[in-house]
Amino acid sequence: MICIRSQREIDTMFEAGQIVAKTHELLKTAIKPGITTKELDQIAELFIREQGAIPAFKGYGGFPASICTSTNHEVVHGIPGSNKLLDGDIISIDIGVQYKGYFGDAAKTHGVGQISRNARLLIDVTRESFYEGLKRAKEGFRLSDISHAIQSYAEKYGFSIVRNYVGHGIGTKMHEEPQIPNFGRPGKGPRLKAGMVLAIEPMINAGVHEVEVMPDNWTVSTLDRQNSAHYEHTVVITGSEPVLLTQLKSSVKR
Ligand code: MG
């Protein structure tokens, strides 16, 4: 069952989403060559708790940190550690929080220092593919219209879509129905309705789409060890334009 959220619930999810957005802003300024992913995790956890929220990934299925940090060929679920970021790396940061019983979830990929043109293109196309999907995140469309728009956009650039991990409904749990693949034929799945809240999150690889889980049982890597990028927002379906709960308020249309 896909939940339809009341305005009161969406208002609380907006508060959760804003904490996620502010944490992303904070980390964006901290990402530079020499910082470790563990330090980024500590900055995020402290800030999230200062806001009265809980880092939702910590302990989720036994995950040992507050945020996911996935560098270069790592796709998602990278564990923060003592490795230092290097000039030319790319890093995907995924942040989830729980606030007043509701969840917010968003991810972004950043360049560290000076990155290659191909890495820049991968990051940009991944973000743009999200916004292509978002054009179909409206009442009247079907779920897979979002999926198809993301896939069509990213594949035009020769990139590939991760199959094994998908977006999801979100609300009083981090992962709710429906699953939202970033690939597939249009016109399938449930019809979108106002009040649905979806975490739409393209994961795009520079090379092959296949991935594998590393021996730490968390980190997902591309099979060919080429780069991967991730972009995610928590999105409310409305009667008109979708609302991004995890985008900072100053730039949110409400
Ligand atoms: Mg997510």
Side-chain angles (χ1 to χ4, degrees), residues 19-55 58 65-69 80-81 85 91 93-97:
I19 296 168
V20 173
K22 287 174 188 166
T23 312
H24 269 294
E25 287 297 308
L26 188 61
L27 292 185
K28 191 171 136 189
T29 63
I31 289 170
K32 47 179 70 100
I35 195 164
T36 68
T37 49
K38 182 71 194 165
E39 287 171 302
L40 295 175
D41 184 64
Q42 287 164 345
I43 292 167
E45 177 165 9
L46 185 65
F47 180 77
I48 290 165
R49 293 195 191 279
E50 276 173 3
Q51 310 306 304
I54 298 166
K58 193 154 197 176
S66 291
I67 61 171
C68 298
T69 54
L85 295 181
I91 179 167
I93 306 265
D94 197 350
I95 302 173
V97 309

Side-chain angles (χ1 to χ4, degrees), residues 176-229:
E176 298 185 355
E177 288 182 43
Q179 293 199 348
I180 311 166
N182 298 299
F183 59 93
R185 301 220 312 259
K188 311 274 180 198
R191 219 170 262 290
L192 300 176
K193 292 198 178 71
M196 289 180 177
V197 186
L198 308 176
I200 300 171
E201 51 176 321
M203 290 153 263
I204 312 283
N205 294 349
V208 299
H209 72 77
E210 288 89 354
V211 300
E212 62 179 336
V213 178
M214 301 314 286
D216 66 14
N217 281 322
W218 280 105
T219 310
V220 176
S221 283
T222 57
L223 203 58
D224 61 7
R225 300 298 186 264
Q226 292 199 58
N227 280 342
S228 185

Side-chain angles (χ1 to χ4, degrees), residues 55-233:
F57 298 161
K58 193 154 197 176
Y60 187 100
F63 189 75
S66 291
I67 61 171
C68 298
T69 54
S70 308
T71 49
N72 301 324
H73 59 272
E74 295 170 358
V75 180
V76 287
H77 305 164
I79 302 172
S82 56
N83 48 316
K84 288 188 162 85
L85 295 181
L86 302 174
D87 189 61
D89 281 349
I90 65 171
I91 179 167
S92 301
I93 306 265
D94 197 350
I95 302 173
V97 309
Q98 183 184 5
Y99 184 71
K100 297 181 180 171
Y102 289 86
F103 287 84
D105 187 10
K108 279 176 188 170
T109 303
H110 300 276
V112 182
Q114 198 70 30
I115 63 172
S116 71
R117 278 177 60 178
N118 273 352
R120 184 78 259 159
L121 183 66
L122 177 67
I123 292 172
D124 290 345
V125 167
T126 301
R127 184 186 62 252
E128 289 158 10
S129 75
F130 167 88
Y131 286 97
E132 286 299 307
L134 195 68
K135 290 179 187 168
R136 281 82 176 172
K138 290 177 186 172
E139 270 197 332
F141 286 97
R142 287 186 183 273
L143 191 69
S144 83
D145 294 330
I146 299 173
S147 314
H148 181 72
I150 291 170
Q151 179 179 22
S152 308
Y153 188 83
E155 287 184 348
K156 266 195 316 201
Y157 291 84
F159 298 141
S160 65
I161 307 291
V162 172
R163 263 61 167 177
N164 300 27
Y165 300 87
V166 298
H168 50 96
I170 181 168
T172 53
K173 286 188 283 204
M174 172 63 75
H175 297 108
E176 298 185 355
E177 288 182 43
Q179 293 199 348
I180 311 166
N182 298 299
F183 59 93
R185 301 220 312 259
K188 311 274 180 198
R191 219 170 262 290
L192 300 176
K193 292 198 178 71
M196 289 180 177
V197 186
L198 308 176
I200 300 171
E201 51 176 321
M203 290 153 263
I204 312 283
N205 294 349
V208 299
H209 72 77
E210 288 89 354
V211 300
E212 62 179 336
V213 178
M214 301 314 286
D216 66 14
N217 281 322
W218 280 105
T219 310
V220 176
S221 283
T222 57
L223 203 58
D224 61 7
R225 300 298 186 264
Q226 292 199 58
N227 280 342
S228 185
H230 190 190
Y231 193 86
E232 175 184 31
H233 277 296

